[in-house]
């Protein structure tokens, strides 16, 4: 897949074709195996990303507003501990509000490099942030942050990485370790890394955050079936499946499924898949960490904990790490 800073319409459409082929492979394979599962990254097409933005405004979904409040409260302290940061590298662009809080706190910042798969999302974010922070160079990098190996052509300079929103929770512990090792490669020795991580907590708070009364999270999950219908010539009845969220205590994670409400047959790309009533497709994991669990994971990938901040209700954490 083409990766880099700008692209022509030919590379854009080649990228789109590759994306659909990859989605098709993942869906046909994921619906054939047992237990059925589809990787969570496919939830985030344009519609899914917009629905996720809606989730961040739902009352029961505490992570976004709690992380924003932590950045607001501790941004200056984070900036002081990170040192003379010249380049901010964001893995998977978050909402520009969170990023702006960090940019404002980093007095000597010269360049902001957001890494994201969505070129249009990056272009919007670049425009907004350049307007908001005059003098800041925004150099978007198009690519999957799990696969990006270097930021060719980007200024060296003291680097701070930023991975917000507990997106790291989508990854298994093994994948998270691999991600942290790869980020170490990209950011380089001496750099720092700020990561937002959701904390383990009471199920009374956790479960409603992933199954809100307004049904926004359900709509987000079910969009995966609608996306299969749109892009892979599927005929899923989106009212025939229910969004289900549960906490897997052993694995320390929320697991999200789409559960068939009846016995039914579904066709995708000319192939037929039978679902028994109650049968489910695993669509997403959201891992939760205590502060010390996450610090141990970071250390296993070569990152030294500098400091961690939590809110008074112990809902969410921000970790500053350094690569020695
Ligand atoms: C984007 C992975 C941080 O795990 O809280 C929220 C995804 N899915 N509600 C999370 C999500 C359903 C979210 N992350």
């Amino acid at each position: 897949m083409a990766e880099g800073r700008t692209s022509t319409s030919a590379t854009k459409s080649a990228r789109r074709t590759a994306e659909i082929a990859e989605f098709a492979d993942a869906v046909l394979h994921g619906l054939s195996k047992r237990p059925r599962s589809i990787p969570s990254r496919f939830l985030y097409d344009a519609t899914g990303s917009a629905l996720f933005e809606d989730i961040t405004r739902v009352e029961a979904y505490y992570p976004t507003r709690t992380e924003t409040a932590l950045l607001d409260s501790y941004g200056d302290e984070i900036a002081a501990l990170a040192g003379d940061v010249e380049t901010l590298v964001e893995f998977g662009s978050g909402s520009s509000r969170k990023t702006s809080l960090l940019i404002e706190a980093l007095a000597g910042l010269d360049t902001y490099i957001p890494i994201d798969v969505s070129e249009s999302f990056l272009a919007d974010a670049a425009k907004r942030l350049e307007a908001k922070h005059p003098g800041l160079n925004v150099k978007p990098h198009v690519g999957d942050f799990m696969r990006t190996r270097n930021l060719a052509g980007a200024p060296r300079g003291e680097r701070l990485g930023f991975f917000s929103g507990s997106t790291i929770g989508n990854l298994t512990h093994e994948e998270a370790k691999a991600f942290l090792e790869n980020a170490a490669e990209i950011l380089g020795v001496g750099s720092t890394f700020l990561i937002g991580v959701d904390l383990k907590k009471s199920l009374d708070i956790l479960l409603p955050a992933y199954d809100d009364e307004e049904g926004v999270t359900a709509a987000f999950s079910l969009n995966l079936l609608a996306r299969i219908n749109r892009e892979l010539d599927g005929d899923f009845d989106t009212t025939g499946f229910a969004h289900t969220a549960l906490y897997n205590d052993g694995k320390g994670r929320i697991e999200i499924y789409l559960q068939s409400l009846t016995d039914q047959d579904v066709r995708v790309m000319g192939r037929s898949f039978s679902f028994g009533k109650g049968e489910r497709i695993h669509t997403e994991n959201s891992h939760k960490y205590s502060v010390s669990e996450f610090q141990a994971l970071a250390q296993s990938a070569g990152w030294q904990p500098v400091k961690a901040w939590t809110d008074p209700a112990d809902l969410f954490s921000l970790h500053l790490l350094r690569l020695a």
Side-chain angles (χ1 to χ4, degrees), residues 40 43-44 52 55-56 61-64 164-171 196 198 209-212 216-218 220-221 243 254 256 284-288 316:
S40 60
L43 289 162
Y44 298 87
F52 180 69
I55 290 177
T56 66
Y61 193 74
Y62 58 83
T64 312
S164 74
S166 204
T167 304
I168 199 160
N170 266 162
L171 309 178
D198 199 15
Y210 291 89
D211 196 3
D212 60 281
V216 180
T217 306
F220 167 76
S221 284
H243 161 79
I254 288 282
I256 298 177
E284 198 169 27
N285 292 316
S286 186
H287 291 78
K288 309 302 170 189
F316 202 87

Side-chain angles (χ1 to χ4, degrees), residues 289-303:
Y289 294 90
S290 70
V291 167
S292 59
E293 282 170 344
F294 190 76
Q295 288 177 332
L297 175 68
Q299 274 173 314
S300 78
W303 290 93

